Amino acid sequence: MQILQAGLILTLTLTPIILRGQTNAAAPQPEAPAAVASAPVTASSVLEPVLTQVQTTLTSLKTDKWKKGSVRDEAAENVKDVLHDLQTNLPPLVNAADGAPGALSKAIPLMKHLDALYDVILRIEEGSRVSAPSDQIDSLEQTLKSFGTARITYYDSLQQSASGQEKQVVDLQATLKAQQAAAQEAKPAPAPVPCTPPKPTVKKKRPAPAKAPPATAPAQPKTP
């Protein structure tokens, strides 16, 4: 009997705890906060080291040691144009892209310029294989490779940033639609318009028949 009483007391003691645990388990857990998008990569942080490398390589390039001919003359002219471009045309584009990280309207002009610049450096490197000493060929080859890698890295960062911005727009639109739907469902139904009872029909009273005038007695003749 004592064992049964003890078991009953233990059961009554643990029941609220068990029920509370079940309630907590059934309660919906708050959603984890969305991951914060990483800051977009700036153009200067990716491109400045390799642009410095390009400038150093081309400045130290000695085209007068190349084999004489049109290849050397064209390479020398291209080297001059690239060095001028690095000093005058490219810095404003990089600064504009840095001022609005991730903005394609500022990045696309820089991307086009980098593509054109890469093509010119590629022609210089290809010309060196024909006319330049081996040490200059190796230097140009390594510089071209570094420039191409940095260019692709910057393009990839722009694509990732654009994808993140597109996802934010889609998520925001979905959230707004859900909020509008919830607000529409929570909106109380309009109160019914009270029915106005119809006015009672008033029966018109019939006019009373006209009374006939009282008959007058005939006048009696006067006696003489």
Side-chain angles (χ1 to χ4, degrees):
M1 185 66 178
Q2 293 179 352
I3 296 175
L4 293 176
Q5 291 178 349
L8 180 61
I9 294 173
L10 180 61
T11 302
L12 294 175
T13 304
L14 295 179
T15 297
I17 300 175
I18 296 173
L19 292 176
R20 185 163 53 250
Q22 291 176 348
T23 302
N24 293 337
Q29 299 297 325
E31 296 181 0
V36 179
S38 57
V41 178
T42 60
S44 58
S45 64
V46 178
L47 299 175
E48 277 189 358
V50 73
L51 293 178
T52 301
Q53 180 182 352
V54 171
Q55 184 172 0
T56 301
T57 299
L58 296 184
T59 301
S60 60
L61 201 63
K62 300 184 182 301
T63 55
D64 57 338
K65 294 185 177 181
W66 291 24
K67 296 178 182 179
K68 292 183 179 181
S70 59
V71 174
R72 185 182 75 172
D73 296 340
E74 181 183 356
E77 189 66 25
N78 287 335
V79 168
K80 180 180 177 182
D81 291 341
V82 171
L83 290 175
H84 179 267
D85 189 76
L86 293 175
Q87 294 293 330
T88 58
N89 300 326
L90 200 56
L93 296 176
V94 174
N95 292 335
D98 281 350
L104 294 181
S105 60
K106 301 297 182 181
I108 288 177
L110 175 59
M111 294 165 63
K112 291 180 178 179
H113 204 86
L114 292 175
D115 289 343
L117 187 61
Y118 180 86
D119 291 340
V120 178
I121 299 175
L122 176 61
R123 288 199 294 271
I124 298 173
E125 191 268 342
E126 290 175 343
S128 69
R129 295 178 180 275
V130 178
S131 302
S134 59
D135 59 334
Q136 296 190 37
I137 295 175
D138 295 340
S139 177
L140 283 170
E141 182 180 0
Q142 183 60 40
T143 298
L144 180 66
K145 182 178 179 180
S146 299
F147 184 79
T149 301
R151 185 170 59 110
I152 297 302
T153 299
Y154 179 58
Y155 293 175
D156 289 343
S157 69
L158 289 175
Q159 181 178 1
Q160 183 178 1
S161 176
S163 298
Q165 292 175 0
E166 291 175 0
K167 185 179 183 304
Q168 289 178 355
V169 172
V170 172
D171 293 345
L172 179 59
Q173 290 175 345
T175 301
L176 290 176
K177 288 182 179 179
Q179 291 177 349
Q180 291 174 354
Q184 190 67 23
E185 292 179 358
K187 186 177 180 181
V193 180
C195 296
T196 304
K199 294 182 178 180
T201 304
V202 179
K203 294 183 180 181
K204 295 182 179 180
K205 295 182 179 180
R206 293 181 180 181
K211 294 182 179 180
T216 56
Q220 298 292 330
K222 297 180 179 181
T223 55

